[in-house]
Amino acid sequence: MTTLPEGFTILAIETSCDETAAAVVRGGRTILSNVVASQMDMHSRYGGVVPEVASRQHIISLVPVVREALAALPGGWADIHAVAATHGPGLSGALLTGLNAAKAIAWQRGLPFVGVNHLESHIYASWLDVDDGVTKQPGDKVTDLTPSPRHPLTPSPPHLVTPSPPHLVTPSPPEFPLVALVVSGGHTLLALLRGHGDYTILGQTRDDAVGEAFDKVARILGLGYPGGPAIQQVAQSAQPPVGVLPRAWLRDSYDFSFSGLKTAVLHKVQERQDRQDRLPKVDVKAKAGRPVLGSQPPPVPSPPPPLDAAWVAQMAYAFQESVVDVLSTKTVDAARQHGATAIILAGGVAANTRLRSELSRRAAVPVRFPPIALCTDNAAMVAAAAFYRFAAGAQSGWDLDVTPNLKLGMS
Ligand code: KG4
Ligand code: ZN
């Protein structure tokens, strides 16, 4: 591991799914700019991400997003020392847009370039030095996460080392060994980190990713997309008594399974709709006299009756409790078994407040999670991961391709 100057400033691009993001990060930790253009509205009408739509939208958004990220630097391009982009895992067409843009920028400006693993970057969001006050601007598609007030925007001139005063860097970076729980729309895994880039997978999902389960259950309950925030919100209004849904413990393993839980919710919904269907209904026509045979159109199957909001809230609550119980139990056990100094909670589902609080309550070591805006896809985390890759002497060639099913620990 070489020591990079603390002023080493990276421009990173992230386009693995449905967020077009660019960020500039100094010293692997200090966010100078972080711009995210979300495509959520576009995909929500289809109930999920449409890959072709995502790629096209990345192409439209990339240039303005990169421009906005650079606008935060007084020296503009001259302040950038290196370029990074996500090259997998993710949607291949979406990944291609950001990766090719980053390679073109690096080549044209003669800067070093590195490809970053998306799962690794979610973990490195916990290395970023940010205030909890970092928030999304409501109703704004493009979100600028302004740097912490403790880090005023005074980027150093290129190649000049300006160590930050130690009291400004809080909290300190995580120390190894660490256990990371990565929970996103596409992945669910527990990993042991013994050093930068040194990963051992302890367990992973055998079927659905946990974010995917949130999204599918939300759809079954008629709560829309994305499902995670919708379920979390509705669960808050659940009134007792609430039934318990199954937990797939997969004993003696750190693996996970969520498809059985999803099916259990589906069966509960079907049972309830069947029961509502069997309720006696007043037959208005029967009262008016028997219809003449053959004069009526054939019966059309009626749509399932709507679920009542109170019952949906209880189901959302029970689902979330089941997920949080299994994730917390296994993560706490893994941290204890491997003597972790801390637990890192990463990925879009790390935004779940119930998971954050329950994991923190049960763990014997500190649980670190980024502010909510850095849990979901962003490019600041890509820059943070890239900093440690450059420090390890890594650099990618111009032939680096996208790897849609890239695993953690692979680069
Ligand atoms: O990491 P991410 O932004 O994209 C992927 O790399 O997949 O994760 C997106 C996932 C979605 O499935 C979304 O429903 C879930 O994160 N999510 C949540 C919450 N916020 C986002 N799940 C549970 N609770 C939340 N508050
Ligand atoms: Zn992600």
Side-chain angles (χ1 to χ4, degrees), residues 195-282:
H196 290 295
D198 180 354
Y199 302 98
T200 305
I201 306 289
L202 304 174
Q204 54 198 318
T205 184
R206 295 186 186 173
D207 38 57
D208 290 350
V210 67
E212 187 184 356
F214 266 98
D215 293 337
K216 286 177 177 169
V217 166
R219 198 176 315 153
I220 292 168
L221 294 174
L223 294 175
Y225 175 87
I231 287 189
Q232 176 181 308
Q233 202 203 339
V234 165
Q236 278 161 6
S237 61
Q239 298 296 323
V242 179
V244 174
L245 287 169
R247 281 126 170 89
W249 290 112
L250 310 176
R251 299 276 174 204
D252 301 323
S253 156
Y254 287 124
D255 279 355
F256 302 97
S257 166
F258 297 103
S259 74
L261 174 60
K262 173 195 67 191
T263 309
V265 175
L266 181 64
H267 286 162
K268 294 265 181 210
V269 167
Q270 285 167 343
E271 270 170 34
R272 185 153 182 97
Q273 286 173 333
D274 281 354
R275 220 175 302 139
Q276 284 179 335
D277 255 351
R278 283 200 302 273
L279 289 176
K281 295 185 183 81
V282 182

Side-chain angles (χ1 to χ4, degrees), residues 56 95 120-121 149 262 275 345 380 408:
R56 284 167 188 267
L95 287 163
E120 184 173 28
S121 68
K262 173 195 67 191
R275 220 175 302 139
L345 182 55
L408 185 66

